[in-house]
């Protein structure tokens, strides 16, 4: 294979690693949909008491009286390490502070009908390794953004039953920077890959209350096909390789998997509630990855992924003080990674996540509530397989979420 074509093929394989990013339940999927849910580690499927129900279970929109609007942002402070298994050298990623906005609105025009709109970033992260680190030919920087808008309609035919549904519209963008060894001493080229896509999906939710204090929720968020198109942009290419290593468009498709959550909530008297969610993600829908390059000098990609389905768990406790309009929250979550060890790379350093949460809310007056939550995220240690770029990954993250609720 000629050097130029080899460089393009290597860059294409780097793109394959990047497209694993949306599957990173432990690394890139965002759980910061609002401070109320973040305070209980996302255990909200059976709880209809905040406008965030438009994301977690649209059936809850028919239960919340009147109207409400929540707006805010989450600030994510991630720290990720790569450890060379032979030398023990520890490299820290130069991660930027990430802000994740959210907006949720709900309105119940009648006793049996509810309307809602949720806007947020279900996927979004960034990762940058030091400029001259040893893995720069695998990945220098990775970024992912997936914005979602989801309007919903909910109906409550009886006192103990409600259901809701609506479409989901997503706008995704993704990028990769990496250096390319052009097989000449001391020289490196660079490639920047960027692509955008629109996707359409659906969500459906059911809420059931067999007793006054016990309720259950079931939520399904459908697969979403993102048909990406973008350009591979090469720079610092030696003149003799300029014909082979040149900018070229590409297309590829990613399928975001089904997400099914079963939740329960139990009221412990008038002031406390315990909630539990069990979450299933069908990542096995992505068994292969294909990329079609317009330039014939670049080999198209058809690679096996080997992703596996995951089950996660979230539990939360909320206590409303009878004095002063103060609400306190706490929770814990386990969010497994779907990525096998053989697929771990510096562009896809996925790990299981363990999340501990604390939250507080305060009623400023009858129409305004301030919500604040903190999550400490442990990125558990994970080692790459024998066929992957060698390395051991681990880290942690601090997440702070602020939401204002008008009601």
């Amino acid at each position: 294979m000629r050097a130029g074509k080899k460089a393009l093929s290597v860059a294409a394989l780097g793109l394959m690693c990047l497209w694993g990013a949306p599957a990173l339940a432990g690394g890139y999927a965002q759980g910061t949909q609002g401070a109320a849910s973040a305070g209980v580690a996302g255990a909200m499927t059976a709880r209809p008491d905040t406008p965030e129900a438009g994301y977690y279970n649209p059936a809850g929109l028919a239960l919340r009286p009147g109207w409400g609007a929540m707006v805010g942002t989450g600030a994510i402070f991630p720290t990720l390490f790569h450890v060379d298994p032979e030398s023990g050298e520890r490299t820290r990623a130069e991660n930027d502070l990430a802000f994740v906005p959210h907006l949720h609105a709900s309105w119940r025009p009648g006793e049996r009908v509810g309307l809602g709109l949720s806007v947020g970033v279900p996927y979004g992260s960034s990762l940058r390794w030091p400029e001259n680190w040893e893995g720069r030919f695998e990945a220098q920087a990775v970024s992912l953004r997936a914005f979602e808008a989801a309007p919903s309609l909910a109906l409550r035919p009886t006192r103990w039953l409600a259901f809701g549904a609506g479409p989901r519209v997503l706008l995704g963008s993704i990028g990769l920077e990496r250096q390319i060894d052009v097989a000449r001493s001391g020289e490196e080229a660079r490639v920047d890959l960027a692509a955008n896509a629109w996707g359409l999906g659906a969500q459906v939710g059911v809420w059931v209350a067999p007793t006054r204090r016990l309720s259950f929720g079931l939520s399904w968020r459908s697969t979403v096909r993102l048909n990406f198109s973008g350009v591979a942009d090469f720079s610092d290419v030696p003149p003799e390789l300029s014909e082979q290593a040149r900018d070229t468009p590409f297309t590829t498709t990613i399928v975001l998997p089904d997400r099914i959550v079963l939740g329960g909530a139990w009221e412990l008297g008038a002031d406390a509630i315990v909630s539990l969610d069990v979450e299933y993600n069908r990542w096995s829908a992505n068994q292969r990855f294909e990329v079609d390059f317009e330039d014939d000098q670049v080999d198209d990609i058809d690679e096996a992924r080997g992703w596996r389905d995951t089950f996660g768990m979230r539990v939360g406790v909320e206590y409303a003080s009878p004095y002063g309009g103060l609400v306190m929250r706490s929770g814990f979550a386990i969010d497994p990674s779907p990525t096998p060890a053989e697929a771990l790379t510096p562009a896809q350093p996925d790990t299981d996540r363990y999340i501990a949460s604390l939250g507080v809310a305060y009623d400023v007056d009858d129409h305004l509530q301030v919500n604040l939550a903190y999550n400490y995220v442990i990125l558990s240690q994970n080692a790459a397989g024998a066929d992957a770029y060698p390395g051991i990954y681990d880290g942690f993250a601090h997440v702070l979420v602020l939401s204002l609720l008008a009601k």
Side-chain angles (χ1 to χ4, degrees):
M1 180 181 291
R2 289 176 294 176
K5 190 170 182 179
K6 181 178 179 181
L8 284 168
S9 297
V10 171
L13 291 173
L15 177 63
M16 181 185 68
C17 296
L18 171 66
W19 287 123
L24 298 181
Y28 284 81
Q30 295 295 341
T32 54
Q33 301 303 320
S37 58
V40 294
M44 295 290 288
T45 304
R47 296 188 52 184
D49 50 335
T50 78
E52 291 164 278
Y55 175 85
Y56 289 98
N57 186 349
L61 297 171
L63 283 75
R64 178 179 171 84
W67 66 277
M70 174 180 283
V71 62
T73 188
I76 304 175
F77 307 82
T79 300
L80 180 69
F81 296 98
H82 169 275
V83 179
D84 188 309
E86 294 185 1
S87 67
E89 181 180 358
R90 193 172 179 86
T91 302
R92 178 174 176 169
E94 299 174 345
N95 294 326
D96 297 327
L97 172 65
F99 290 96
V100 184
H102 56 266
L103 169 66
H104 305 281
S106 65
W107 177 46
R108 196 174 76 174
E111 289 295 322
R112 300 182 182 275
V113 179
L115 302 172
L117 173 66
S118 289
V119 179
V121 186
Y123 298 94
S125 186
S126 63
L127 172 66
R128 179 173 293 276
W129 295 102
E131 183 176 353
N132 294 316
W133 88 296
E134 62 180 13
R136 62 188 181 278
F137 301 121
E138 296 288 329
Q140 190 72 62
V142 178
S143 64
L144 168 67
R145 295 290 184 273
F147 295 91
E148 177 180 291
S152 300
L153 169 67
L155 300 175
R156 187 181 187 182
T158 69
R159 180 194 61 79
W160 53 270
L161 174 66
F163 51 89
R168 300 163 52 215
V169 181
L170 286 91
L171 171 61
S173 64
I174 200 164
L176 170 70
E177 300 175 18
R178 62 176 294 169
Q179 299 298 111
I180 299 176
D181 187 354
V182 295
R184 293 179 56 177
S185 177
E187 292 193 23
E188 297 177 6
R190 170 176 164 149
V191 62
D192 295 278
L193 304 171
N196 297 283
W198 289 92
L200 181 63
Q203 63 175 346
V204 177
V206 179
W207 178 88
V208 179
T211 71
R212 186 173 63 87
R213 296 188 180 277
L214 181 64
S215 62
F216 296 97
L218 179 64
S219 174
W220 169 64
R221 294 171 67 83
S222 75
T223 59
V224 177
R225 293 183 62 87
L226 296 175
N227 297 314
F228 282 87
S229 60
V231 175
D233 180 15
F234 289 85
S235 58
D236 301 325
V237 177
E240 62 270 24
L241 299 180
S242 59
E243 288 299 316
Q244 292 81 23
R246 58 193 179 193
D247 298 352
T248 179
F250 65 87
T251 59
T252 187
T253 297
I254 298 174
V255 180
L256 302 181
D258 294 284
R259 177 179 178 268
I260 301 173
V261 186
L262 175 63
W266 182 28
E267 294 185 13
L268 304 176
D271 301 323
I273 185 169
V274 177
S275 56
L276 172 68
D277 280 8
V278 178
E279 176 180 327
Y280 167 73
N281 287 280
R282 195 172 66 90
W283 293 116
S284 62
N286 291 277
Q287 286 299 305
R288 304 201 66 82
F289 176 76
E290 299 176 353
V291 178
D292 181 20
F293 290 91
E294 184 175 297
D295 195 326
D296 293 336
Q297 294 288 336
V298 186
D299 293 334
D300 292 337
I301 296 175
D302 184 2
E303 297 285 344
R305 277 179 163 174
W307 292 347
R308 51 181 178 252
D309 297 342
T310 62
F311 284 90
M313 183 273 294
R314 304 175 186 274
V315 60
V317 179
E318 179 175 296
Y319 173 73
S321 170
Y323 308 102
L326 182 66
V327 178
M328 293 171 285
R329 304 179 176 112
S330 183
F332 179 76
I334 300 173
D335 191 0
S337 164
T339 309
E342 291 73 17
L344 290 178
T345 73
Q348 187 182 344
D350 198 13
T351 72
D352 296 337
R353 287 194 303 186
Y354 299 90
I355 306 167
S357 68
L358 292 172
V360 64
Y362 179 71
D363 289 323
V364 178
D365 56 34
D366 292 340
H367 302 289
L368 179 63
Q369 184 184 72
V370 179
N371 291 263
L372 184 66
Y374 168 75
N375 288 182
Y376 180 70
V377 184
I378 298 174
L379 307 176
S380 64
Q381 191 174 89
N382 202 2
D387 297 331
Y389 182 82
I392 301 171
Y393 302 94
D394 64 0
F396 58 90
H398 302 283
V399 182
L400 189 64
V401 189
L402 173 66
S403 301
L404 300 178
L405 172 60
K407 50 186 179 176

